[in-house]
Amino acid sequence: MLWFSYGQAPGRSLPETSPSAFLTLREREILALIGAGLTNLEISDRLGLTVSTVKAYVSNMYGKIGVDNRVRAALFAHGIAFAPDVVHAPRAPGPGRAPAVPGG
């Protein structure tokens, strides 16, 4: 269940500073549909909008919630926290792979 799509679930509240507090109702609808796995074409069909209009809403929404791709938007829609600037450690060398550190 998407906790903000059409209001708040019982027992769950959004802080006033939550990025989703600044979304329009249409942006919340689209974000909920992204969270449900729909494509822009499927969203446009469901809401009676053009694909270009959906893309514009998605782009504006990304900026408001601080994400840069659809997966992170879907995670946001489900209330799943993510670390946007995580630096992954280099993988250990395995069979047939060079060491992760030059000269190592």
Side-chain angles (χ1 to χ4, degrees):
M1 167 140 187
L2 303 175
W3 56 271
F4 67 89
S5 59
Y6 297 99
Q8 298 169 8
R12 205 150 182 197
S13 62
L14 290 176
E16 288 302 314
T17 57
S18 169
S20 66
F22 302 107
L23 296 178
T24 65
L25 178 58
R26 181 63 85 183
E27 289 167 339
R28 287 175 184 239
E29 285 179 307
I30 291 171
L31 183 57
L33 295 172
I34 287 172
L38 275 67
T39 65
N40 287 346
L41 179 60
E42 291 167 331
I43 292 169
S44 70
D45 288 343
R46 175 143 333 160
L47 299 180
L49 302 171
T50 67
V51 174
S52 296
T53 299
V54 171
K55 287 179 181 180
Y57 276 115
V58 169
S59 178
N60 289 334
M61 180 190 53
Y62 281 5
K64 288 181 179 182
I65 65 173
V67 301
D68 59 0
N69 64 56
R70 199 170 197 89
V71 171
R72 288 185 176 170
L75 291 173
F76 182 92
H78 288 277
I80 299 170
F82 61 90
D85 296 318
V86 171
V87 176
H88 298 284
R91 292 172 50 167
R97 287 200 325 219
V101 179

